[in-house]
Amino acid sequence: MMGEQKRRGRKNWSRALMAHRMHRLRDSSMMPPLDRGPQDGPKNATLDCGWGRLLFAPTFESAEALVDSLRQEKPEQRDIVIYIRDPHVVVAAAPQELFLDPSHTYRLDLATYRQAASRPRGFVVRRLASPEDADAVNSIYLQRKMVPVPPEFFLARGRRDRALIHLVAEDTDTGRVIGTVTGVDHAHVGGTKSADRIEGSSLWCLAVDPQATRPGIGEALVRHLAAHFQARGAPWLDLSVLHNNAQAIALYEKLGFVRVPCFAVKRKNPINEALFAPPPPDEARLNPYARLIVDEARRRGILVEITDAEAGFFRLTHGARSIHCRESLSELTSAVAMSICDDKTVTRRVVSRAGVRVPDQILAGDMEALESFLAKYEQVVVKPARGEQGKGVAVGLSDFEAVLAAIERARAFSDQVVIEEFVEGQDLRLVVIDYKLVAAAIRRPAHIMGDGMTSVRDLIERQSRRRAAATGGESRIPIDDETERCLAKLDLTLDSVPEAGREVTVRRTANLHTGGTIHDVTDHVHPDLVDAAVRAARAIEIPVTGIDFVVKSPYESDYVFIEANERPGLANHEPQPTAQRFIDLLFPHSMPASARASWTGEICPG
């Protein structure tokens, strides 16, 4: 009885404390935190963050002064006016140029904030410190559709300006940067005298590598930044988050952030277009692969007509030329080329005649041939002769009964099933457009990282959410028979708890639709691999394709051809210019003359 009373007392005390915190924060935020007025502090306070400027609205004397400052926004950057007392007045001063940002502001009371008892496992949080760090951060920004920052800014002003702090999360096993966050110390914006200082601090640009497997990266970055500003004596930490980013909002509320009535205003520029001018309903339903191409077409002034949003069909028209597309598949790809790619046995024969190395394979149906094939190669791959997105594919099978079961699963996707020699190596995708290499990437099967506390099932679900968020819902890790088979080979089940630091491969195929990750090697791929991919594309006579090889290394010449995809997902290879090259192929006169000369190999007239 006494124990129950104590538990109730602790629960009631916890509720009272939370209510007190929320009341305190909301009271403090009913007016913007910069309520002294411009006459008592810095005038027209701005801070260059590399991706754009923060403009502290209460330090400006009028809405007109704010508008004039916003008009100085640099190309390809995003300025943000924060802590606006009367956002409707500011927007009304230039309604054709400005819009109210559809984001919520959240605040963490650093006076009552308590640091986490446990430290993150498998990675450390530290300051950005090198050109390699800067490149890694920009890579994450680009994957997250964020504005990159000039590397020299990180390494020069970002180091010496006390108003800014750039943190990164580094994987302790690989040394790879897997997350980043930027903090702003308001006290060092504008004047330097204590009387001139702006109160508080803020968090910006929280981003986690969508292919990172460590759990808790975002939370650790936020906590580290909060602890940093708490040590500096800042009263609070603010952040802005899009109103529909439920996953991020859940994290912030878990950490004790409370929503406050503060607002931001931005300029109507191409970077912000999705925030103030959402696409038509049909266009909004396009998947990321179709949307990437449509956006590039619109950017060039090409007319876009969505013919079937759910399936990714659209028509592009420029002048007298009109081309119907389904994602990266266009009318320029013939039905014959598509048929060759559709049947993996035909694809193999066609590219083999062009001198491209192919693995041995047989068709399912002859039991004696199957037994002999399995005895010869020990491990095999079972896949539908027709299919895409890795559906029905089983890799690395050695048991006869397992092969038979995989054949039955594959028959759900195609009447003909292929049994293929298993070749050990890495999965390399080469995107070839107009018979030139545009992008090359190593694709890794879906894998998770143990933390010693979380079950395999929960780790898969967390990783799947991260992959889905980064790909518009296109990449998820299925929990099915193939997943359980892969786990069983490792003596694990979905309820097992892998030890901290253990990497567990939960799928054998590297397809992105089943949770695989992609790692760009375009600038380093061996020229023999490029030559083989182009020969394969020419043999099929297909102008846009994704050629899949198994390689020992992308830096070596050894390879084996696996398949050709007639509709490669161009969005998977950003920031390589896949959509640009696709539109160049369809409408060569829509690109600048200098780019046209570079792409076609012509001499640009001086």
Side-chain angles (χ1 to χ4, degrees):
M1 184 67 178
M2 185 64 69
E4 179 64 23
Q5 288 177 340
K6 287 182 177 179
R7 280 193 295 272
R8 288 179 179 175
R10 284 195 297 269
K11 189 173 182 180
N12 290 337
W13 180 86
S14 177
R15 286 177 175 172
L17 178 61
M18 179 58 69
H20 169 72
R21 287 177 179 174
M22 293 177 69
H23 180 74
R24 183 175 184 271
L25 284 174
R26 285 171 177 156
D27 278 355
S28 71
S29 64
M30 289 309 292
M31 295 295 287
L34 309 175
D35 56 4
R36 296 189 306 267
Q39 70 278 6
D40 299 324
K43 304 293 192 297
N44 301 342
T46 64
L47 177 68
D48 186 0
C49 297
W51 41 262
R53 298 174 301 156
L54 292 178
L55 284 67
F56 290 79
T59 68
F60 285 77
E61 294 183 353
S62 65
E64 289 72 19
L66 264 176
V67 173
D68 288 342
S69 185
L70 269 176
R71 286 173 175 151
Q72 299 169 26
E73 180 183 71
K74 296 178 182 178
E76 305 299 324
Q77 296 214 328
R78 171 185 284 163
D79 289 353
I80 307 175
V81 182
I82 56 175
Y83 301 128
I84 297 185
R85 188 188 307 271
D86 299 314
H88 54 296
V89 175
V90 175
V91 172
Q96 302 304 317
E97 300 177 64
L98 309 181
F99 69 99
L100 182 63
D101 183 35
S103 295
H104 296 326
T105 301
Y106 277 79
R107 176 169 294 175
L108 181 67
D109 185 354
L110 294 179
T112 58
Y113 171 71
R114 296 293 176 263
Q115 298 180 29
S118 60
R119 294 189 174 185
R121 299 186 181 187
F123 63 94
V124 295
V125 177
R126 58 170 177 81
R127 283 181 179 265
L128 183 149
S130 69
E132 292 74 21
D133 287 349
D135 289 342
V137 167
N138 274 331
S139 176
I140 294 174
Y141 283 173
L142 289 168
Q143 291 179 73
R144 292 295 192 178
K145 315 293 186 191
M146 296 163 66
V147 181
V149 173
E152 59 272 15
F153 181 92
F154 281 128
L155 303 171
R157 179 171 178 179
R159 278 180 174 175
R160 66 173 182 264
D161 193 334
R162 290 208 68 195
L164 283 170
I165 176 174
H166 302 292
L167 301 178
V168 296
E170 178 188 305
D171 190 296
T172 51
D173 290 340
T174 65
R176 190 167 63 91
V177 171
I178 54 178
T180 180
V181 70
T182 297
V184 174
D185 189 340
H186 300 171
H188 292 278
V189 175
T192 57
K193 298 178 182 179
S194 58
D196 291 341
R197 290 184 175 178
I198 301 169
E199 292 183 287
S201 60
S202 53
L203 177 155
W204 302 90
C205 300
L206 176 65
V208 175
D209 185 339
Q211 302 184 129
T213 55
R214 305 281 187 185
I217 300 169
E219 178 176 342
L221 286 164
V222 176
R223 286 190 177 279
H224 199 98
L225 193 65
H228 172 83
F229 285 132
Q230 188 180 51
R232 282 193 179 186
W236 55 70
L237 175 66
D238 287 350
L239 60 84
S240 180
V241 57
L242 276 174
H243 69 97
N244 57 358
N245 191 346
Q247 191 173 346
I249 289 173
L251 168 63
Y252 299 139
E253 291 181 342
K254 168 190 169 184
L255 297 179
F257 283 83
V258 174
R259 186 178 166 191
V260 293
C262 295
F263 304 95
V265 163
K266 297 175 181 175
R267 280 193 73 218
K268 293 179 178 178
N269 62 26
I271 295 173
N272 294 324
E273 186 172 355
L275 301 178
F276 66 83
D282 280 352
E283 198 168 312
R285 295 200 301 273
L286 291 174
N287 65 33
Y289 307 111
R291 184 66 189 273
L292 180 77
I293 296 168
V294 165
D295 287 347
E296 175 62 19
R298 286 197 185 282
R299 190 182 68 81
R300 298 196 192 187
I302 295 170
L303 178 65
V304 177
E305 177 191 357
I306 310 301
T307 53
D308 192 299
E310 285 73 13
F313 285 91
F314 52 88
R315 180 176 294 279
L316 304 179
T317 303
H318 189 246
R321 187 177 175 90
S322 182
I323 299 178
H324 208 179
C325 304
R326 184 185 185 190
E327 300 170 10
S328 62
L329 177 65
S330 77
E331 293 175 347
L332 302 189
T333 296
S334 71
V336 172
M338 187 173 173
S339 297
I340 292 171
C341 291
D342 181 55
D343 191 325
K344 294 175 176 59
T345 60
V346 176
T347 315
R348 177 180 174 277
R349 291 196 297 269
V350 169
V351 302
S352 178
R353 288 195 289 266
V356 177
R357 292 194 291 275
V358 298
D360 196 5
Q361 72 176 209
I362 61 171
L363 287 174
D366 187 327
M367 288 297 180
E368 288 186 10
L370 178 58
E371 288 179 348
S372 299
F373 196 84
L374 190 56
K376 181 178 180 180
Y377 292 111
E378 296 185 354
Q379 289 193 79
V380 299
V381 178
V382 175
K383 56 187 178 183
R386 291 183 171 87
E388 59 182 2
Q389 300 181 352
K391 295 174 182 177
V393 178
V395 178
L397 302 177
S398 55
D399 179 74
F400 188 77
E401 294 302 322
V403 172
L404 293 179
I407 290 171
E408 288 306 309
R409 289 195 296 272
R411 283 207 169 102
F413 302 95
S414 174
D415 292 337
Q416 282 192 323
V417 176
V418 173
I419 295 92
E420 191 171 84
E421 164 195 2
F422 172 72
V423 180
E424 192 73 51
Q426 302 180 68
D427 187 302
L428 176 67
R429 162 65 64 90
L430 300 107
V431 176
V432 177
I433 298 178
D434 199 16
Y435 307 111
K436 302 176 184 70
L437 179 74
V438 176
I442 289 293
R443 303 189 301 174
R444 295 189 64 197
H447 56 285
I448 56 174
M449 188 70 69
D451 61 2
M453 300 179 292
T454 310
S455 71
V456 168
R457 187 188 303 275
D458 288 343
L459 288 171
I460 288 176
E461 289 175 352
R462 288 184 188 180
Q463 179 71 356
S464 198
R465 284 196 298 269
R466 184 181 291 167
R467 296 292 299 133
T471 60
E474 292 295 313
S475 180
R476 299 179 187 273
I477 305 174
I479 295 179
D480 56 16
D481 292 343
E482 178 65 10
T483 309
E484 295 190 82
R485 186 183 69 82
C486 291
L487 291 172
K489 281 197 168 187
L490 302 172
D491 295 323
L492 295 172
T493 69
L494 290 168
D495 297 319
S496 300
V497 177
E499 58 268 26
R502 181 181 179 184
E503 185 175 293
V504 178
T505 300
V506 297
R507 307 286 293 188
R508 293 297 298 272
T509 57
N511 194 282
L512 297 178
H513 287 85
T514 54
T517 59
I518 189 163
H519 309 269
D520 185 79
V521 294
T522 306
D523 295 334
H524 311 289
V525 67
H526 196 283
D528 287 355
L529 303 180
V530 177
D531 176 68
V534 172
R535 277 190 286 123
R538 288 194 180 278
I540 301 169
E541 297 186 55
I542 186 166
V544 179
T545 182
I547 302 293
D548 292 343
F549 290 160
V550 169
V551 299
K552 291 180 179 178
S553 164
Y555 317 118
E556 300 177 13
S557 60
D558 289 341
Y559 73 91
V560 172
F561 173 90
I562 300 302
E563 64 182 30
N565 192 318
E566 76 279 4
R567 185 163 49 100
L570 302 185
N572 298 326
H573 296 270
E574 291 187 287
Q576 296 299 337
T578 52
Q580 292 93 314
R581 298 292 83 83
F582 179 74
I583 297 297
D584 292 346
L585 171 71
L586 270 54
F587 303 99
H589 293 291
S590 70
M591 61 175 157
S594 58
R596 192 182 313 135
S598 173
W599 180 236
T600 61
E602 299 170 357
I603 303 292
C604 183

